[in-house]
Coordinates of all heavy atoms in Angstrom, one line a residue:
Chain A
S80 N -6.4 -76.4 -19.1 CA -6.7 -75.4 -18.1 C -8.2 -75.3 -17.8 O -8.6 -74.9 -16.7 CB -6.1 -74.1 -18.5 OG -6.7 -73.7 -19.7
Q81 N -9.0 -75.7 -18.8 CA -10.4 -75.6 -18.6 C -11.0 -76.8 -18.0 O -12.2 -76.9 -17.7 CB -11.1 -75.4 -20.0 CG -10.9 -74.0 -20.5 CD -11.6 -73.7 -21.8 OE1 -11.7 -74.6 -22.7 NE2 -12.3 -72.6 -21.9
Q82 N -10.2 -77.9 -17.8 CA -10.7 -79.1 -17.3 C -11.2 -79.0 -15.9 O -10.6 -78.3 -15.0 CB -9.6 -80.2 -17.3 CG -10.1 -81.5 -17.0 CD -9.0 -82.6 -17.2 OE1 -7.9 -82.2 -17.6 NE2 -9.2 -83.8 -17.0
Q83 N -12.4 -79.6 -15.6 CA -13.0 -79.5 -14.3 C -13.0 -80.9 -13.7 O -13.4 -81.8 -14.4 CB -14.4 -78.9 -14.3 CG -14.4 -77.4 -14.5 CD -15.7 -77.0 -15.1 OE1 -16.1 -77.4 -16.2 NE2 -16.3 -76.1 -14.4
H84 N -12.4 -81.1 -12.5 CA -12.2 -82.4 -12.0 C -13.4 -83.1 -11.5 O -13.5 -84.3 -11.3 CB -11.1 -82.4 -10.9 CG -11.5 -81.8 -9.7 ND1 -12.0 -82.5 -8.6 CD2 -11.6 -80.5 -9.3 CE1 -12.4 -81.6 -7.7 NE2 -12.1 -80.4 -8.1
D85 N -14.5 -82.3 -11.2 CA -15.7 -82.9 -10.7 C -16.9 -82.8 -11.6 O -18.0 -83.4 -11.3 CB -16.0 -82.2 -9.3 CG -16.2 -80.7 -9.4 OD1 -15.8 -80.2 -10.5 OD2 -16.7 -80.1 -8.5
Q86 N -16.8 -82.1 -12.7 CA -18.0 -82.1 -13.6 C -17.5 -81.8 -15.0 O -16.4 -81.5 -15.3 CB -18.9 -81.0 -13.2 CG -18.3 -79.6 -13.1 CD -19.3 -78.5 -12.8 OE1 -20.4 -78.8 -12.6 NE2 -18.9 -77.3 -12.9
A87 N -18.5 -82.0 -15.9 CA -18.2 -81.9 -17.4 C -18.2 -80.4 -17.7 O -18.9 -79.6 -17.1 CB -19.2 -82.6 -18.2
L88 N -17.4 -80.1 -18.7 CA -17.4 -78.7 -19.3 C -18.3 -78.7 -20.4 O -18.2 -79.5 -21.4 CB -15.9 -78.4 -19.7 CG -15.7 -77.1 -20.5 CD1 -15.9 -75.9 -19.6 CD2 -14.3 -77.1 -21.1
V89 N -19.3 -77.8 -20.4 CA -20.3 -77.7 -21.5 C -19.9 -76.4 -22.3 O -19.8 -75.3 -21.7 CB -21.7 -77.6 -20.9 CG1 -22.7 -77.5 -22.1 CG2 -22.0 -78.8 -20.1
R90 N -19.8 -76.6 -23.6 CA -19.6 -75.4 -24.4 C -20.6 -75.3 -25.5 O -21.2 -76.3 -25.9 CB -18.2 -75.5 -25.1 CG -17.1 -75.5 -24.1 CD -15.7 -75.2 -24.7 NE -15.7 -75.6 -26.1 CZ -14.6 -75.3 -26.9 NH1 -13.6 -74.7 -26.4 NH2 -14.6 -75.6 -28.1
C91 N -20.9 -74.1 -25.9 CA -22.0 -73.9 -26.9 C -21.6 -72.8 -27.8 O -21.0 -71.8 -27.4 CB -23.3 -73.5 -26.2 SG -24.6 -73.2 -27.4
E92 N -21.8 -73.0 -29.1 CA -21.5 -72.1 -30.1 C -22.8 -71.9 -31.0 O -23.3 -72.8 -31.6 CB -20.3 -72.5 -31.0 CG -19.7 -71.5 -31.8 CD -18.5 -72.0 -32.5 OE1 -17.5 -72.3 -31.9 OE2 -18.6 -72.1 -33.7
Y93 N -23.2 -70.6 -31.0 CA -24.4 -70.3 -31.8 C -24.0 -69.5 -33.0 O -23.1 -68.6 -32.9 CB -25.4 -69.5 -30.9 CG -26.5 -68.7 -31.7 CD1 -27.7 -69.3 -31.8 CD2 -26.2 -67.5 -32.2 CE1 -28.7 -68.6 -32.5 CE2 -27.2 -66.8 -32.9 CZ -28.5 -67.4 -33.0 OH -29.5 -66.7 -33.7
S94 N -24.5 -69.8 -34.1 CA -24.3 -69.0 -35.3 C -25.5 -68.9 -36.2 O -26.4 -69.8 -36.0 CB -23.1 -69.5 -36.1 OG -23.3 -70.8 -36.5
M95 N -25.5 -68.0 -37.1 CA -26.7 -67.8 -37.9 C -26.2 -67.9 -39.4 O -25.2 -67.2 -39.7 CB -27.2 -66.4 -37.7 CG -28.7 -66.4 -37.5 SD -29.2 -64.8 -36.9 CE -30.9 -64.9 -37.4
A96 N -26.8 -68.8 -40.2 CA -26.3 -68.9 -41.6 C -26.6 -67.6 -42.3 O -27.6 -66.9 -42.0 CB -27.1 -70.0 -42.2
S97 N -25.7 -67.2 -43.2 CA -25.9 -65.9 -43.9 C -27.2 -65.9 -44.7 O -27.7 -64.8 -45.0 CB -24.7 -65.6 -44.7 OG -24.4 -66.7 -45.6
F98 N -27.7 -67.1 -45.1 CA -28.9 -67.1 -45.9 C -30.1 -67.3 -45.1 O -31.2 -67.6 -45.6 CB -28.8 -68.3 -46.9 CG -28.3 -69.6 -46.3 CD1 -29.3 -70.4 -45.6 CD2 -27.0 -70.0 -46.3 CE1 -28.9 -71.6 -45.0 CE2 -26.6 -71.2 -45.7 CZ -27.6 -72.0 -45.0
S99 N -30.0 -67.2 -43.8 CA -31.1 -67.5 -42.9 C -32.2 -66.4 -42.9 O -33.3 -66.6 -42.5 CB -30.7 -67.8 -41.5 OG -30.0 -66.7 -41.0
T100 N -31.8 -65.2 -43.2 CA -32.8 -64.1 -43.2 C -33.1 -63.5 -44.6 O -32.4 -63.9 -45.5 CB -32.2 -62.9 -42.3 OG1 -30.9 -62.7 -42.7 CG2 -32.3 -63.2 -40.8
G101 N -34.0 -62.6 -44.6 CA -34.4 -62.1 -45.9 C -33.3 -61.4 -46.7 O -33.0 -61.7 -47.8
D102 N -32.6 -60.5 -46.0 CA -31.5 -59.8 -46.6 C -30.2 -60.6 -46.3 O -29.9 -60.9 -45.1 CB -31.4 -58.4 -46.1 CG -31.4 -58.3 -44.6 OD1 -32.0 -59.2 -44.0 OD2 -30.7 -57.3 -44.0
R103 N -29.5 -61.0 -47.3 CA -28.3 -61.8 -47.1 C -27.3 -61.0 -46.5 O -26.9 -59.9 -46.9 CB -27.8 -62.3 -48.5 CG -26.8 -63.3 -48.3 CD -26.3 -63.8 -49.7 NE -25.1 -64.6 -49.5 CZ -25.1 -65.9 -49.4 NH1 -26.3 -66.5 -49.3 NH2 -24.0 -66.6 -49.2
R104 N -26.8 -61.5 -45.3 CA -25.8 -60.7 -44.6 C -24.8 -61.7 -43.9 O -25.2 -62.8 -43.5 CB -26.6 -59.9 -43.5 CG -25.7 -58.9 -42.9 CD -26.5 -57.7 -42.2 NE -27.9 -58.0 -41.8 CZ -28.4 -57.6 -40.7 NH1 -27.6 -57.0 -39.8 NH2 -29.6 -57.7 -40.4
R105 N -23.6 -61.2 -43.9 CA -22.6 -62.0 -43.3 C -22.7 -61.9 -41.7 O -22.7 -60.8 -41.2 CB -21.2 -61.5 -43.7 CG -20.0 -62.3 -43.2 CD -19.6 -63.3 -44.1 NE -18.8 -64.3 -43.3 CZ -19.4 -65.5 -42.9 NH1 -20.6 -65.8 -43.3 NH2 -18.7 -66.3 -42.2
R106 N -23.0 -63.0 -41.1 CA -23.1 -63.0 -39.6 C -22.1 -63.9 -39.1 O -22.2 -65.1 -39.3 CB -24.5 -63.4 -39.2 CG -25.6 -62.4 -39.4 CD -26.9 -63.1 -39.2 NE -28.0 -62.4 -39.9 CZ -28.7 -61.4 -39.4 NH1 -28.4 -61.0 -38.2 NH2 -29.7 -60.9 -40.1
G107 N -21.3 -63.4 -38.3 CA -20.3 -64.2 -37.6 C -20.8 -64.9 -36.4 O -22.0 -64.9 -36.2
K108 N -19.9 -65.6 -35.7 CA -20.4 -66.1 -34.4 C -19.8 -65.3 -33.3 O -19.9 -65.7 -32.1 CB -19.9 -67.6 -34.3 CG -18.4 -67.7 -34.6 CD -18.1 -69.2 -35.0 CE -16.6 -69.2 -35.3 NZ -16.2 -70.4 -36.0
G109 N -19.2 -64.2 -33.6 CA -18.6 -63.4 -32.6 C -19.3 -62.1 -32.2 O -18.9 -61.4 -31.3
D110 N -20.4 -61.8 -32.9 CA -21.1 -60.6 -32.6 C -21.9 -60.7 -31.3 O -22.0 -61.7 -30.7 CB -22.0 -60.1 -33.8 CG -23.2 -61.1 -34.1 OD1 -23.1 -62.2 -33.4 OD2 -24.0 -60.8 -34.8
R111 N -22.4 -59.5 -30.8 CA -23.0 -59.4 -29.5 C -24.1 -60.4 -29.3 O -24.2 -61.1 -28.4 CB -23.5 -58.0 -29.3 CG -22.5 -57.1 -28.7 CD -23.2 -55.7 -28.5 NE -24.0 -55.7 -27.3 CZ -23.6 -55.2 -26.2 NH1 -22.4 -54.6 -26.1 NH2 -24.4 -55.2 -25.1
R112 N -25.0 -60.4 -30.4 CA -26.2 -61.2 -30.3 C -25.8 -62.7 -30.2 O -26.4 -63.5 -29.4 CB -27.0 -61.0 -31.6 CG -28.5 -61.4 -31.4 CD -29.1 -61.1 -32.8 NE -29.6 -62.4 -33.3 CZ -30.7 -63.0 -33.0 NH1 -31.5 -62.5 -32.1 NH2 -31.0 -64.1 -33.5
A113 N -24.9 -63.1 -31.0 CA -24.5 -64.5 -31.0 C -23.8 -64.9 -29.7 O -24.1 -66.0 -29.2 CB -23.5 -64.8 -32.2
T114 N -23.0 -64.0 -29.2 CA -22.3 -64.3 -27.9 C -23.4 -64.5 -26.8 O -23.3 -65.4 -26.0 CB -21.4 -63.2 -27.5 OG1 -20.7 -62.7 -28.7 CG2 -20.3 -63.7 -26.6
E115 N -24.4 -63.6 -26.8 CA -25.4 -63.7 -25.7 C -26.2 -64.9 -25.9 O -26.4 -65.6 -24.9 CB -26.3 -62.4 -25.9 CG -27.3 -62.3 -24.8 CD -28.7 -62.6 -25.2 OE1 -29.0 -62.6 -26.4 OE2 -29.5 -62.8 -24.3
L116 N -26.6 -65.3 -27.1 CA -27.4 -66.5 -27.3 C -26.6 -67.8 -26.9 O -27.1 -68.7 -26.4 CB -27.8 -66.6 -28.7 CG -29.3 -66.0 -28.9 CD1 -29.6 -65.7 -30.3 CD2 -30.2 -67.1 -28.4
S117 N -25.3 -67.8 -27.3 CA -24.4 -68.9 -26.9 C -24.5 -69.1 -25.4 O -24.6 -70.2 -25.0 CB -23.0 -68.7 -27.4 OG -22.9 -68.5 -28.7
L118 N -24.3 -68.0 -24.7 CA -24.3 -68.1 -23.3 C -25.6 -68.6 -22.7 O -25.7 -69.5 -21.9 CB -24.0 -66.7 -22.7 CG -23.9 -66.6 -21.2 CD1 -22.5 -67.0 -20.8 CD2 -24.1 -65.2 -20.7
V119 N -26.7 -68.1 -23.3 CA -28.1 -68.4 -22.8 C -28.3 -69.9 -23.0 O -28.8 -70.7 -22.1 CB -29.1 -67.6 -23.5 CG1 -30.5 -68.2 -23.3 CG2 -29.1 -66.2 -23.0
I120 N -28.0 -70.4 -24.2 CA -28.2 -71.8 -24.6 C -27.3 -72.7 -23.7 O -27.8 -73.7 -23.1 CB -27.9 -72.1 -26.0 CG1 -28.9 -71.2 -26.9 CG2 -28.1 -73.5 -26.4 CD1 -28.5 -71.2 -28.4
R121 N -26.1 -72.2 -23.5 CA -25.2 -73.0 -22.7 C -25.7 -73.2 -21.3 O -25.8 -74.3 -20.7 CB -23.8 -72.4 -22.6 CG -22.7 -73.4 -22.3 CD -21.5 -72.7 -21.8 NE -21.6 -72.4 -20.4 CZ -21.1 -71.3 -19.8 NH1 -20.4 -70.5 -20.5 NH2 -21.3 -71.1 -18.5
Q122 N -26.1 -72.1 -20.7 CA -26.6 -72.1 -19.3 C -27.8 -73.0 -19.2 O -28.0 -73.8 -18.2 CB -26.9 -70.7 -18.8 CG -25.6 -69.9 -18.5 CD -25.9 -68.5 -18.2 OE1 -27.0 -68.0 -18.5 NE2 -25.0 -67.8 -17.6
T123 N -28.7 -72.9 -20.2 CA -30.0 -73.7 -20.1 C -29.7 -75.2 -20.2 O -30.2 -76.0 -19.5 CB -30.9 -73.3 -21.3 OG1 -31.0 -71.9 -21.3 CG2 -32.3 -73.9 -21.1
M124 N -28.8 -75.5 -21.1 CA -28.5 -77.0 -21.3 C -27.6 -77.5 -20.1 O -27.8 -78.6 -19.7 CB -27.7 -77.2 -22.6 CG -28.4 -76.8 -23.9 SD -30.2 -76.8 -23.9 CE -30.5 -78.6 -23.9
E125 N -26.8 -76.7 -19.6 CA -25.9 -77.1 -18.5 C -26.8 -77.4 -17.3 O -26.5 -78.4 -16.5 CB -24.9 -76.0 -18.1 CG -23.7 -76.5 -17.5 CD -22.6 -75.4 -17.3 OE1 -22.9 -74.2 -17.6 OE2 -21.5 -75.7 -17.0
A126 N -27.9 -76.7 -17.1 CA -28.8 -77.0 -16.0 C -29.4 -78.4 -16.2 O -29.8 -79.0 -15.2 CB -29.8 -75.9 -15.9
A127 N -29.6 -78.8 -17.4 CA -30.3 -80.1 -17.7 C -29.4 -81.2 -17.6 O -29.7 -82.3 -17.2 CB -31.0 -80.0 -19.0
I128 N -28.1 -81.1 -18.0 CA -27.2 -82.2 -18.1 C -26.7 -82.5 -16.7 O -26.4 -81.7 -15.9 CB -26.0 -81.8 -19.0 CG1 -26.4 -81.5 -20.4 CG2 -24.9 -82.9 -19.0 CD1 -25.4 -80.8 -21.3
L129 N -26.6 -83.8 -16.5 CA -26.1 -84.3 -15.2 C -24.5 -84.2 -15.3 O -23.9 -85.3 -15.5 CB -26.5 -85.7 -14.9 CG -28.0 -85.9 -14.7 CD1 -28.4 -87.3 -14.8 CD2 -28.5 -85.3 -13.4
T130 N -24.0 -83.0 -15.2 CA -22.6 -82.8 -15.4 C -21.7 -83.5 -14.4 O -20.5 -83.9 -14.8 CB -22.2 -81.3 -15.4 OG1 -22.8 -80.7 -14.3 CG2 -22.7 -80.6 -16.6
N131 N -22.2 -83.8 -13.2 CA -21.3 -84.4 -12.2 C -21.0 -85.9 -12.6 O -20.1 -86.5 -12.0 CB -22.0 -84.3 -10.8 CG -23.4 -84.9 -10.9 OD1 -24.1 -84.7 -11.8 ND2 -23.7 -85.6 -9.8
L132 N -21.8 -86.5 -13.5 CA -21.6 -87.9 -13.9 C -20.4 -88.0 -14.9 O -19.9 -89.1 -15.1 CB -22.8 -88.5 -14.5 CG -24.0 -88.7 -13.6 CD1 -25.1 -89.3 -14.4 CD2 -23.6 -89.5 -12.4
L133 N -20.0 -86.9 -15.5 CA -19.0 -86.9 -16.6 C -17.9 -86.0 -16.2 O -17.6 -85.0 -16.9 CB -19.7 -86.5 -17.9 CG -20.9 -87.2 -18.3 CD1 -21.7 -86.4 -19.3 CD2 -20.6 -88.5 -18.9
P134 N -17.1 -86.3 -15.1 CA -16.0 -85.4 -14.8 C -14.9 -85.4 -15.8 O -14.8 -86.4 -16.5 CB -15.6 -85.9 -13.4 CG -16.0 -87.3 -13.4 CD -17.2 -87.4 -14.2
R135 N -14.1 -84.4 -15.9 CA -12.9 -84.3 -16.8 C -13.3 -84.4 -18.2 O -12.4 -84.9 -19.0 CB -11.9 -85.4 -16.4 CG -11.1 -85.1 -15.1 CD -10.3 -86.4 -14.9 NE -10.6 -86.9 -13.6 CZ -9.9 -86.5 -12.5 NH1 -8.9 -85.7 -12.6 NH2 -10.2 -87.1 -11.3
S136 N -14.5 -84.2 -18.6 CA -14.9 -84.3 -20.0 C -15.5 -83.0 -20.5 O -15.8 -82.1 -19.8 CB -15.8 -85.5 -20.3 OG -17.0 -85.3 -19.5
Q137 N -15.7 -83.0 -21.8 CA -16.2 -81.8 -22.5 C -17.3 -82.1 -23.4 O -17.3 -83.2 -24.1 CB -15.0 -81.2 -23.2 CG -15.4 -80.1 -24.2 CD -14.2 -79.5 -24.9 OE1 -13.1 -79.6 -24.4 NE2 -14.4 -78.8 -26.0
I138 N -18.4 -81.3 -23.4 CA -19.5 -81.5 -24.3 C -19.6 -80.3 -25.1 O -19.7 -79.2 -24.6 CB -20.8 -81.8 -23.5 CG1 -20.7 -83.1 -22.7 CG2 -22.0 -81.9 -24.5 CD1 -21.7 -83.2 -21.6

Side-chain angles (χ1 to χ4, degrees):
Chain A
S80 58
Q81 288 185 315
Q82 187 172 1
Q83 287 156 300
H84 69 96
D85 56 344
Q86 59 173 4
L88 170 71
V89 181
R90 297 199 331 176
C91 178
E92 195 176 290
Y93 164 94
S94 62
M95 225 168 160
S97 51
F98 50 81
S99 61
T100 45
D102 52 332
R103 189 181 171 89
R104 195 158 17 138
R105 181 94 202 100
R106 283 170 205 270
K108 50 198 178 199
D110 64 351
R111 270 181 82 99
R112 201 182 114 82
T114 324
E115 188 252 344
L116 262 160
S117 302
L118 185 80
V119 165
I120 299 167
R121 202 201 79 214
Q122 287 174 340
T123 313
M124 301 328 289
E125 206 172 11
I128 299 169
L129 296 164
T130 45
N131 55 322
L132 293 182
L133 308 157
R135 286 174 235 267
S136 59
Q137 168 178 338
I138 298 163

